[in-house]
């Protein structure tokens, strides 16, 4: 039985972090720690001296990890995974899932692979949920703007709700724009004219 | 005519301007390129995007390809630097509490003299100074180290130069996690705008003509794709020339602040582009003609001696052989490809590919392929001269 690996997950959002940790648990008995506060990230990670670090590809804080490669001895320096490796399929999956990983140089690939597979699967889920959340939020925002624009039109032209909406839709189609964009332009203009 | 797709990566900074301009004003199209630009969230992400072939070329901190050639950092690939996108462009700033202490001790924030600014900073900082830089391999890091080491003053007991992503710099400053920062514009001006920092020096006060960002590709890519590399280099070079023309400066800020480019207003971007910075929240203005240079003075030429200086500095700090490092670093800056691809586009080319760094106190004519060209002043604040043939001296 090889010793359990020490894994650090850098993730601010608590729920997402828990999801990822659950996924990693399924990949074996490993020592998983989450770091949520990204200030002094490099020092916090160095203090734990992990075998593997997982971080969101989109996180600007990733640059702080580069210091780790300098702080440790060349023998066990962490290297960025998925760069210049032969496993193209895994690299692509990792990029699509939005996860970047750092492992200690020399760690055996067969030990890392199941963990990374699990990590990729979980980050994929996180990514999907995040995209859905963003889409819902956007739809909500658009709805609010459209309602405001509708109100403006109803007052200005003294028309009913349906007619106001039809007018915006017609304009949007004529200009090849989205209704939300037309509504936004109207709201912005109305604010300027106040 | 067949249009060739080309993908370039960048970070949202003022010195990504040549890529935006090449795309927006048709310089890429003119070369038969369908240029797509890809924003990266961090320097390590951009480096990986280039290493993995998600982009063909990328804006890159000049020291990154040098560090990779020396085997430093968390990546195993190698890059070539084909041309500089710009010289200078970094600013150094301090937190508001530190600025207040410096003012109380009589410092006037002249934004010019690196000696007096350094002394005032060290005195006000006392025993602890933490400086944020965007990346361990960056001109920000190099300039800060060079400056502090050559002040002739004892350094604080707790001196820490740590990585903070540019967009998070104001936050870190306000939270008291760092006392000072070195960052590329517009993020310095952004910190002033937010009222959390006062600008202390432009990077050019430390080295008056420092390489800053390069156009990088995977090693060997430009040699294997000479036609495409040539088209890309000419498009970017012509964009740099356009930006360098003073009459275009207002347009530069407008184009950079358009949706999907930099998340900063044109007015703030224009401070860097025009070299007129607001250094504090009380609105003090400082003029720095060479704050950032995209074209003049052969700013795009990848001098092997610039790379050698970076290599020598990195080696000294990380315990590597400096003579070896300077040589290996010099090979990263592809002056040969610059000559090959930009000669016919109209670039005047210097007679040599390396020079003494820091030897020119004023703009000076030197031999070029067409006769002579003017190189700008390139002095270090401490008047040292770097001779690439004797790097360890």
């Amino acid at each position: 039985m090889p010793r359990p690996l020490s894994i650090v997950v850098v993730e601010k959002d608590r729920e997402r972090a828990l999801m990822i940790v659950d996924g990693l648990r399924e990949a074996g008995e490993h020592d998983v720690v989450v770091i949520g506060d990204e200030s002094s990230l490099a020092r916090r990670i160095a203090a734990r001296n992990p075998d593997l670090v997982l971080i969101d590809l989109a996180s600007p804080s990733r640059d702080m990890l580069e210091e780790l490669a300098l702080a440790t001895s060349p023998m066990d320096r962490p290297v960025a995974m998925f760069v210049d490796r032969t496993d193209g399929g895994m690299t692509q999956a990792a990029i699509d899932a939005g996860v970047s990983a750092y492992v200690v140089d020399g760690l055996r690939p067969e030990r890392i692979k199941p963990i990374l597979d699990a990590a990729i699967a979980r980050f994929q889920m996180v990514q999907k949920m995040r995209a859905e959340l963003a889409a819902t939020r956007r739809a909500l925002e658009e709805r609010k703007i459209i309602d405001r624009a509708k109100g403006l039109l109803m007052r200005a032209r003294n028309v009913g709700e349906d007619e106001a909406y039809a007018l915006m839709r017609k304009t949007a189609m004529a200009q090849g724009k989205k209704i939300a964009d037309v509504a936004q332009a109207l709201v912005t203009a109305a604010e300027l004219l106040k | 005519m067949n249009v060739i797709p080309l993908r370039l990566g960048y970070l949202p900074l003022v010195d990504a301007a040549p890529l935006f301009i090449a795309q927006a004003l048709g310089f890429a199209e003119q070369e038969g390129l369908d240029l797509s630009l890809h924003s990266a969230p961090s320097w390590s992400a951009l480096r990986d995007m280039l290493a993995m072939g998600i982009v063909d070329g990328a804006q890159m901190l000049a020291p990154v390809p040098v560090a990779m050639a020396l085997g430093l950092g968390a990546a195993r690939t190698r890059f070539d630097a084909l041309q500089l996108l710009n010289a200078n462009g970094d600013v150094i700033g301090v937190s508001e509490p530190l600025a207040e202490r410096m003012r109380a001790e009589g410092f006037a924030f002249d934004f010019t003299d690196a000696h007096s600014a350094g002394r005032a900073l060290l005195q006000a900082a006392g025993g602890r100074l933490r400086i944020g830089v965007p990346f361990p391999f960056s001109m920000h890091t190099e300039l800060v180290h060079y400056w502090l080491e050559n002040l002739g003053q004892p350094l604080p007991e707790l001196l820490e130069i740590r990585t903070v992503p540019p967009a998070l710099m104001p936050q870190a400053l306000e939270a008291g996690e760092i006392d000072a920062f070195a960052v590329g514009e517009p993020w310095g001006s952004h910190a002033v705008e937010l009222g959390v920092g006062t600008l202390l020096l432009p990077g050019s006060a430390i080295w008056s003509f420092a390489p800053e960002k390069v156009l990088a590709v995977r090693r060997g890519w430009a040699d294997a794709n000479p036609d495409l590399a040539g088209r890309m280099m000419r498009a970017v070079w012509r964009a740099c020339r356009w930006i360098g023309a003073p009459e275009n400066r207002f347009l530069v800020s407008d184009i950079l602040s358009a949706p999907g480019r930099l998340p900063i207003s044109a007015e703030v971007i224009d401070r860097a582009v025009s070299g007129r910075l607001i250094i504090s929240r009380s609105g003090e203005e400082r003029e720095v003609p060479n704050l950032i240079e995209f074209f003049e003075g052969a700013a795009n030429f990848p001098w092997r001696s610039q790379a050698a200086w970076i290599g020598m500095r990195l080696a000294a700090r990380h315990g590597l052989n400096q003579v070896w490092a300077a040589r290996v670093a010099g090979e990263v800056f592809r002056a040969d490809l610059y000559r090959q691809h930009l000669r016919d586009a109209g670039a005047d080319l210097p007679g040599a590919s390396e020079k003494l760094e820091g030897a020119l106190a004023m703009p000076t004519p030197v031999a070029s392929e067409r006769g002579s060209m003017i190189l700008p002043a390139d002095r270090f604040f401490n008047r040292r001269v770097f001779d690439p043939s004797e790097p360890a001296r």
Side-chain angles (χ1 to χ4, degrees):
Chain A
M1 184 72 193
R3 76 180 169 90
L5 294 180
S6 151
I7 304 172
V8 167
V9 176
V10 182
E11 175 58 65
K12 263 194 278 198
D13 186 297
R14 217 181 105 80
E15 273 184 39
R16 269 185 236 142
L18 286 177
M19 271 179 59
I20 295 161
V21 171
D22 279 349
L24 293 176
R25 291 258 155 76
E26 287 164 18
E29 287 289 317
H30 299 295
D31 172 20
V32 186
V33 175
V34 174
I35 297 184
D37 179 356
E38 293 177 356
S39 61
S40 314
L41 186 61
R43 253 185 316 167
R44 280 166 208 249
I45 293 177
R48 304 208 67 92
N49 197 19
D51 301 297
L52 177 65
V53 181
L54 296 169
I55 183 168
D56 191 335
L57 197 64
S59 167
S61 299
R62 219 194 117 184
D63 278 347
M64 298 184 189
L65 297 183
E66 196 70 15
E67 283 179 18
L68 290 175
L70 290 172
T72 49
S73 75
M75 287 303 288
D76 55 18
R77 74 185 168 115
V79 292
M81 286 289 290
F82 313 130
V83 177
D84 201 26
R85 296 269 170 145
T86 42
D87 194 347
M90 185 187 259
T91 302
Q92 198 54 50
I95 296 165
D96 291 345
V99 57
S100 40
Y102 289 77
V103 298
V104 171
D105 215 357
L107 203 58
R108 290 209 318 277
E110 61 269 29
R111 293 220 61 197
I112 313 168
K113 177 127 182 24
I115 302 171
L116 289 184
D117 284 339
I120 288 169
R122 282 295 155 143
F123 269 84
Q124 249 159 8
M125 272 171 68
V126 166
Q127 186 99 317
K128 193 161 157 269
M129 283 172 56
R130 199 183 288 175
E132 278 165 8
L133 189 69
T136 314
R137 217 175 263 154
R138 205 165 41 239
L140 219 66
E141 285 296 312
E142 285 183 0
R143 167 63 58 84
K144 264 199 289 192
I145 292 285
I146 290 172
D147 278 348
R148 276 182 66 192
K150 217 158 51 178
L152 286 168
L153 272 182
M154 285 161 71
R155 274 198 301 282
R157 307 193 44 150
N158 201 17
V159 294
E161 195 175 341
D162 291 347
E163 203 176 327
Y165 187 77
L167 190 60
M168 276 198 289
R169 197 177 50 204
K170 207 175 109 194
T171 311
M173 281 171 72
Q175 298 189 1
K177 286 182 179 159
K178 293 199 306 182
I179 291 191
D181 294 336
V182 171
Q184 180 67 62
L186 193 62
V187 169
T188 308
E191 269 164 15
L192 285 175
L193 292 172
K194 248 187 221 166
Chain B
M1 188 167 86
N2 275 344
V3 177
I4 311 167
L6 179 77
R7 303 156 303 170
L8 296 180
Y10 70 93
L11 247 63
L13 290 161
V14 168
D15 49 27
L19 308 190
F20 291 127
I21 300 293
Q23 186 191 49
L25 298 190
F27 293 113
E29 205 184 336
Q30 198 184 324
E31 285 289 343
L33 296 172
D34 175 19
L35 173 60
S36 60
L37 298 180
H38 303 262
S39 171
S42 65
W43 287 110
S44 25
L46 185 54
R47 176 195 62 200
D48 294 355
M49 280 163 68
L50 181 58
M52 290 184 282
I54 294 171
V55 291
D56 305 304
Q59 168 208 29
M60 196 55 66
L61 299 153
V64 166
V66 174
M68 289 166 94
L70 301 183
L72 294 170
R76 293 166 161 176
T77 23
R78 298 286 182 265
F79 291 164
D80 283 329
L82 302 181
Q83 65 203 93
L84 265 65
L85 295 177
N86 60 305
N88 304 341
D90 299 337
V91 294
I92 293 172
V94 295
S95 71
E96 283 307 295
L98 195 50
E100 271 164 42
R101 286 208 295 281
M102 291 170 73
R103 283 190 205 276
E105 285 162 17
F107 182 67
F109 284 85
D110 62 306
F111 210 58
T112 309
D113 182 358
H115 280 288
S116 62
R119 278 195 297 270
L121 172 68
L122 292 180
Q123 192 182 352
R128 187 181 72 170
L129 180 60
R130 298 157 303 172
I131 305 182
V133 293
F135 202 60
F137 310 114
S138 61
M139 287 310 293
H140 317 69
T141 308
E142 295 313 321
L143 293 175
V144 164
H145 274 287
Y146 189 83
W147 176 45
L148 296 178
E149 285 166 23
N150 289 291
L151 284 170
Q153 303 275 318
L155 295 177
E157 213 162 292
L158 296 169
L159 173 66
E160 208 187 314
I161 295 171
R162 67 164 78 150
T163 308
V164 181
L168 305 183
M169 212 68 95
Q171 213 174 309
L173 209 57
E174 195 171 21
E177 287 162 20
I178 50 173
D179 310 298
F181 62 85
V183 75
E185 280 291 277
W187 299 107
S189 290
H190 185 57
V192 171
E193 236 9 49
L194 294 176
V196 297
T198 295
L199 301 185
L200 177 61
L201 280 180
S204 58
I206 297 168
W207 186 2
S208 64
F209 208 71
E212 175 57 34
K213 301 295 188 318
V214 297
L215 178 61
V217 296
R218 289 179 296 285
R219 175 157 290 179
W221 180 88
D223 306 277
N225 303 281
D227 177 62
L228 185 50
R231 289 170 195 256
M232 171 179 77
M233 291 175 71
R234 286 189 295 272
V236 171
W237 181 79
R238 289 197 181 106
C240 289
R241 183 171 60 180
W242 188 89
I243 299 166
E247 66 270 22
N248 294 333
R249 293 211 141 157
F250 280 111
L251 285 170
V252 173
S253 317
D254 277 341
I255 292 172
L256 290 192
S257 65
R261 297 197 177 119
L262 306 190
I264 302 277
S265 74
E267 188 271 319
V268 174
I269 293 172
D270 191 57
R271 294 180 197 170
V273 179
S274 64
R276 301 166 79 92
L277 288 180
I278 309 285
I279 63 155
S280 67
R281 58 178 160 188
S282 60
E284 296 161 274
E285 192 180 276
R286 298 285 183 272
E287 203 169 334
V288 187
N290 60 347
L291 182 80
I292 186 163
E293 184 55 64
F294 288 97
F295 186 75
E296 284 305 314
N300 309 110
F301 190 78
W303 293 95
R304 294 190 184 279
S305 42
Q306 292 173 333
W309 183 87
I310 296 168
M312 178 271 301
R313 295 290 304 170
L314 283 171
R317 220 165 44 250
H318 298 293
L320 306 171
N321 181 300
Q322 293 179 47
V323 177
W324 166 81
R327 182 175 53 75
V328 169
E331 291 163 8
V332 171
F333 275 31
R334 297 296 301 272
D336 56 328
L337 294 177
Y338 188 92
R339 291 176 187 282
Q340 180 188 331
H341 291 300
L342 293 175
R343 182 177 285 122
D344 292 340
D348 197 5
L349 299 163
S353 291
E354 54 178 42
K355 60 184 169 89
L356 297 175
E357 294 294 338
L360 304 181
M362 59 181 70
T364 307
V366 298
S368 78
E369 287 191 355
R370 292 195 205 147
S372 92
M373 66 196 302
I374 308 280
L375 292 186
D378 68 347
R379 286 234 262 200
F380 293 100
F381 81 103
N382 59 344
R383 305 288 183 254
R384 279 270 285 276
V385 175
F386 171 68
D387 181 348
S389 63
E390 297 178 63
R393 195 171 62 98

